[in-house]
Amino acid sequence: MSFNTKSSGLLRCWGSRFWRRRRLCPLEGPFWSCFGGARPRPIVDMSYSRHFLDFHGSSIPSSMKKLVVTKLSSNFQEAVALRQDAPVPLPGDGDLLVRNRFIGINASDINYSAGRYDTSVKPPFDVGFEGIGDVVALGLSASARYTVGQAVAYMTPGSFAEYTVVPAKQAVLLPSVKPEFLTLMVSGTTAYISLKELGQLSEGKKVLVTAASGGTGQFAVQLSKKAKCHVIGTCSSDEKAGFLKSIGCDHPINYKTENVAAVIKRDYPEGMDVVYESVGGKMFDLAVNSLATKGRLIVIGFISGYQNPTGLQPVKAEMLPAKLLKKSASIQGFFLNHYLSEYKMAMEHLLKMYESGELVCEVDLGDMSPEGKFTGLESVFRAVDYMYMGKNIGKIVVELPNSVNSKL
């Protein structure tokens, strides 16, 4: 390992300080007790020489901004607060400290802030599922695979912060920091794994994708087309319909101007072989009614209900068993956390597709939103509202400015 001048100076400084303290307490308890406790403080980046140095050579701040859930609520504005002076976390032996550059917005952020995923967790707790940024510090074991300065993406709670500690085994090494890579972490892998495991796609099958121009819908459309299926996609504007056509959707349907049920009944009387459903409520009912014989409905979400106290919109479930029996049809839910054994393979495949030009990763940074681009943690609130207003095309991503305000 080579060190720069500043790193070498720090090594000498910390080394002399270490041995002075060692001489002061040679017989007092365990070796590490000279540093204030029996438990060792993890060594970062293989030696003291680059402890808490980022790859630009500037010190990591002692404090940072982050979003914290302070009250369980499906109203994101009420549930979450911005902390201005949170301590920058210290990575453990197998961890990376990532300076976030882009963070992803997901419909389920509201479910998380409402405490629906783990009822045992009480506020305050961190929020945000995914991010992409630069490794600025790391533990000794983590340094076997990673180094300071590398670009990584990750899917782990706590991404709505300027810095996040990420277990190295959960990080994905990237060639550069680009928001397009972030679209794959949750949205892309959800579409890829669910369609692969549950969709049974094959040439000529008819696939209906609801919310098709959204973060995960865009991938369901493209992956279905790669499988040589005929793809129908619902959306809420002519602009979104144009985007869907550009990524290969055979039949976009603008539900604001067209009756989706009538269009499907007229143009596809035999029904849909596969439905990729993320809206819920009336759209779920429509999806059930549109299933073909032996059709498969994959439920990956129900965004229309997330802002309700129950998290659900009413559906016509009383006739559901009869409808499924009549068509030998099926409904299956998909939750990404239950398929993590497939995650690495899915990410590798999607990254190759994107880098070879086979996959469009549409990013919505909020440039067309009323207040402009989503920049800084303060804009996460706007970004969540923007998503629930149905304005986005592609994955909503917030950019975090690269700034260092204070020193350790």
Side-chain angles (χ1 to χ4, degrees), residues 55-120:
F55 71 107
H56 287 145
S58 58
S59 296
I60 296 169
S62 57
S63 64
M64 66 175 186
K65 294 179 182 179
K66 74 172 180 176
L67 296 186
V68 178
V69 175
T70 58
K71 171 187 175 183
L72 296 181
S73 173
S74 56
N75 183 323
F76 194 80
Q77 298 269 3
E78 291 182 359
V80 178
L82 175 64
R83 284 193 60 185
Q84 300 279 354
D85 58 351
V88 174
L90 176 68
D93 179 65
D95 298 331
L96 311 175
L97 180 64
V98 177
R99 180 170 56 209
N100 294 314
R101 300 276 295 281
F102 296 97
I103 51 177
I105 304 297
N106 292 282
S108 49
D109 289 328
I110 282 183
N111 288 334
Y112 200 68
S113 70
R116 291 172 182 150
Y117 288 151
D118 186 351
T119 56
S120 67

Side-chain angles (χ1 to χ4, degrees), residues 108-138:
S108 49
D109 289 328
I110 282 183
N111 288 334
Y112 200 68
S113 70
R116 291 172 182 150
Y117 288 151
D118 186 351
T119 56
S120 67
V121 178
K122 305 301 179 186
F125 56 86
D126 297 342
V127 66
F129 294 129
E130 57 184 340
I132 180 173
D134 311 302
V135 176
V136 294
L138 65 165

Side-chain angles (χ1 to χ4, degrees), residues 133-330:
D134 311 302
V135 176
V136 294
L138 65 165
L140 178 59
S141 295
S143 66
R145 293 184 54 205
Y146 294 93
T147 62
V148 168
Q150 288 181 320
V152 294
Y154 63 88
M155 182 182 68
T156 191
S159 67
F160 290 173
E162 291 179 324
Y163 292 84
T164 302
V165 167
V166 178
K169 62 183 179 181
Q170 296 180 18
V172 178
L173 186 62
L174 300 173
S176 62
V177 175
K178 292 176 63 176
E180 286 79 8
F181 291 126
L182 187 55
T183 68
L184 304 176
M185 296 300 295
V186 173
S187 300
T189 55
T190 294
Y192 182 90
I193 299 173
S194 65
L195 290 173
K196 178 176 178 289
E197 296 293 319
L198 310 178
Q200 300 177 33
L201 301 183
S202 60
E203 184 173 358
K205 296 292 186 181
K206 295 180 290 295
V207 179
L208 172 65
V209 180
T210 63
S213 63
T216 189
Q218 63 171 323
F219 295 111
V221 168
Q222 294 178 81
L223 293 170
S224 297
K225 285 303 297 180
K226 295 293 181 186
K228 299 182 179 180
C229 298
H230 181 88
V231 182
I232 303 95
T234 68
C235 61
S236 60
S237 72
D238 291 339
E239 182 184 6
K240 292 182 178 183
F243 166 70
L244 289 176
K245 288 182 180 178
S246 75
I247 60 172
C249 184
D250 297 289
H251 192 162
I253 303 176
N254 180 353
Y255 65 80
K256 293 288 184 69
T257 59
E258 299 179 83
N259 184 311
V260 179
V263 171
I264 291 176
K265 186 175 181 179
R266 180 194 70 210
D267 296 346
Y268 307 98
E270 294 184 357
M272 298 291 115
D273 298 300
V274 179
V275 181
Y276 186 84
E277 218 293 275
S278 61
V279 177
K282 293 180 179 179
M283 188 62 77
F284 172 84
D285 293 332
L286 184 153
V288 171
N289 293 334
S290 71
L291 286 172
T293 300
K294 298 183 181 180
R296 295 173 295 282
L297 196 164
I298 303 170
V299 177
I300 61 102
F302 29 92
I303 187 174
S304 64
Y306 291 167
Q307 290 180 301
N308 296 338
T310 62
L312 296 167
Q313 283 278 30
V315 297
K316 297 177 181 178
E318 63 275 3
M319 294 298 293
L320 189 58
K323 289 179 179 180
L324 296 178
L325 177 63
K326 183 179 179 180
K327 295 182 177 179
S328 294
S330 64

